[in-house]
Amino acid sequence: MIEVVAELSRGPVFMAGEALECVVTVTNPLPPTATSASSEALAWASAQIHCQFYASESRVALPPPDSSQPEVQPESQTVFLPHRGERGQCILSTPPKILFCDLKLDPGESKSYSYSEVLPIEGPPSFRGQLVKYVYKLTIGCQRVNSPITLLRVPLRVLVLTGLQDVRFPQDEAVAPSSPFLEGDEGGKKDSWLSELAGERLMAATSCRSLHLYNISDGQGKVGTFGIFKSVYRLGEDVVGTLNLGEGTVACLQFSVSLQTEEYVQPEYQRRPGCTASVSHITHAWHQESCLHTTRTSFSLPIPLSSTPGFCTAIVSLKWRLHFEFVTSREPGLVLLPPMEQSESATWTGPEQVPVDTFSWDLPIKVLPTSPTLASYAAPGPRTSTITI
């Protein structure tokens, strides 16, 4: 028996373009006092990152499988396929890397191996939606002689910041004198530079503030004015808005606002084009308020760190929005206050019925990723995965 443990030192959340580092420890768990006949051996071990695509086949017309993926008979057990036995399609994978060959471990002996790979920038983000799913995994395959391959899968969460595909490493770094003994350091410098660039872009995009005002009206007149200080946010931030109803000519009795994502299947992949089944809305935060005679109010909706930033692929797009619903009075100049000239013993009650109208309004916003370290702390996942062979 051999125990294989994979540990992600920094956590399971990564930004596309940075390096994933994993330590793989192989142990013979028998006590050291066991006989030499209890030694264990592995023929080889290899590691690879892949992204698996799943879809609701009743609502999504699946694209044809990627012809670049090797075609191997299901009964073959001697070829390392990280997606073996999984549903869906493998749409992205990194080149496999061999960790070791012909490893022999005496009782109580343990050896560790380091695996490092840069997560592809061109891939989609991790996403578990109602219509499609993109799931990343690090798969470690181990095989004994004359035995089938055993797979250890480590779940990953990948955040994608669009725009880094067109970024090139600075030319002054490329032409600078280098030593052949420092190739690993140069690669690490590039990964660090990409990570810093992503952080700088996030800060620049989400730190700009300017007041945006929107007049809200229905068929009878102006209801109020909505104000928001920015339209680009990071995961974990709060969406803060103000609503000024004092300038309205139509009485607003109640309003609600929802922070939602809209998952939309691209037309060419819709099972039934134009059908509402090709769109899915998820509410992440919600605020409701009765606001008759309210002059000014505000709300704050948190963006969950566990959610997925907006993105777009050839198959699906994910967009964020604020969805408002207003309940207004049909009677112009509605006043539901007790008369001022009443004796103290008089009892006043409001009307039992008020004719109302309802309407909705959607305001698109943009949500970007956040620091992978922050996402790891706030939504922790397993750092270690274990399998016994």
Side-chain angles (χ1 to χ4, degrees), residues 297-345:
T297 186
S298 63
F299 63 85
S300 177
L301 300 176
I303 303 175
L305 279 165
S306 58
S307 57
T308 302
F311 71 94
C312 182
T313 67
I315 300 174
V316 69
S317 66
L318 185 75
K319 298 179 180 180
W320 287 77
R321 70 180 188 179
L322 293 176
H323 177 72
F324 292 85
E325 293 183 358
F326 295 92
V327 179
T328 59
S329 171
R330 292 181 183 176
E331 300 179 1
L334 175 67
V335 176
L336 296 180
L337 291 175
M340 298 301 296
E341 298 179 0
Q342 287 283 351
S343 62
E344 295 182 359
S345 61

Side-chain angles (χ1 to χ4, degrees), residues 50-63 82-92 124-139 153-156 263-265 269 271 311 313 315-317:
H50 71 103
C51 178
Q52 202 75 5
F53 168 73
Y54 309 89
S56 173
E57 297 188 19
S58 62
R59 295 185 282 181
V60 182
L62 294 176
H83 53 279
R84 184 194 303 277
E86 292 196 302
R87 297 182 300 105
Q89 299 179 10
C90 180
I91 61 171
L92 182 71
S126 296
F127 177 60
R128 295 182 178 271
Q130 300 292 320
L131 306 178
V132 303
K133 294 179 174 63
Y134 293 104
V135 180
Y136 281 84
K137 298 176 183 178
L138 165 63
T139 301
R153 293 191 172 101
V154 183
L156 307 173
E263 183 183 357
Y264 174 73
V265 178
Y269 292 102
R271 182 69 68 181
F311 71 94
T313 67
I315 300 174
V316 69
S317 66

Side-chain angles (χ1 to χ4, degrees), residues 214 216 226 256-260 262 281 320-326 359-365:
Y214 302 89
I216 302 171
F226 173 69
S256 65
V257 55
S258 304
L259 178 64
Q260 297 181 341
E262 180 184 76
H281 295 98
W320 287 77
R321 70 180 188 179
L322 293 176
H323 177 72
F324 292 85
E325 293 183 358
F326 295 92
F359 70 96
S360 60
W361 173 56
D362 295 327
L363 177 64
I365 62 172

Side-chain angles (χ1 to χ4, degrees), residues 82-273:
H83 53 279
R84 184 194 303 277
E86 292 196 302
R87 297 182 300 105
Q89 299 179 10
C90 180
I91 61 171
L92 182 71
S93 61
T94 61
K97 291 185 178 181
I98 297 176
L99 299 177
F100 59 81
C101 293
D102 298 328
L103 175 64
K104 182 178 180 181
L105 295 175
D106 294 328
E109 187 178 5
S110 177
K111 289 189 177 181
S112 297
Y113 301 88
S114 178
Y115 170 78
S116 179
E117 183 62 83
V118 176
L119 289 158
I121 296 180
E122 65 274 11
S126 296
F127 177 60
R128 295 182 178 271
Q130 300 292 320
L131 306 178
V132 303
K133 294 179 174 63
Y134 293 104
V135 180
Y136 281 84
K137 298 176 183 178
L138 165 63
T139 301
I140 300 169
C142 303
Q143 186 179 28
R144 291 176 179 268
V145 178
N146 299 324
S147 299
I149 298 175
T150 302
L151 300 179
L152 170 60
R153 293 191 172 101
V154 183
L156 307 173
R157 183 185 176 195
V158 177
L159 304 174
V160 174
L161 179 61
T162 57
L164 288 183
Q165 295 90 334
D166 303 327
V167 176
R168 295 184 178 181
F169 195 62
Q171 293 298 320
D172 56 342
E173 294 284 354
V175 300
S178 61
S179 169
F181 302 103
L182 299 177
E183 292 182 358
D185 292 340
E186 292 296 327
K189 183 184 296 185
K190 180 176 180 179
D191 298 335
S192 175
W193 182 81
L194 285 173
S195 178
E196 292 178 1
L197 176 64
E200 292 176 359
R201 288 198 169 189
L202 283 173
M203 289 297 296
T206 59
S207 60
C208 297
R209 293 178 178 269
S210 60
L211 181 61
H212 302 274
L213 296 176
Y214 302 89
N215 289 324
I216 302 171
S217 303
D218 64 0
Q220 298 183 10
K222 183 177 179 180
V223 177
T225 302
F226 173 69
I228 193 170
F229 289 95
K230 63 178 186 175
S231 59
V232 182
Y233 299 85
R234 285 177 293 171
L235 294 179
E237 286 191 303
D238 293 338
V239 180
V240 179
T242 62
L243 192 60
N244 187 351
L245 302 173
E247 302 174 355
T249 58
V250 178
C252 182
L253 308 181
Q254 180 178 285
F255 83 94
S256 65
V257 55
S258 304
L259 178 64
Q260 297 181 341
T261 51
E262 180 184 76
E263 183 183 357
Y264 174 73
V265 178
Q266 307 293 3
E268 56 268 32
Y269 292 102
Q270 294 179 7
R271 182 69 68 181
R272 295 188 293 263

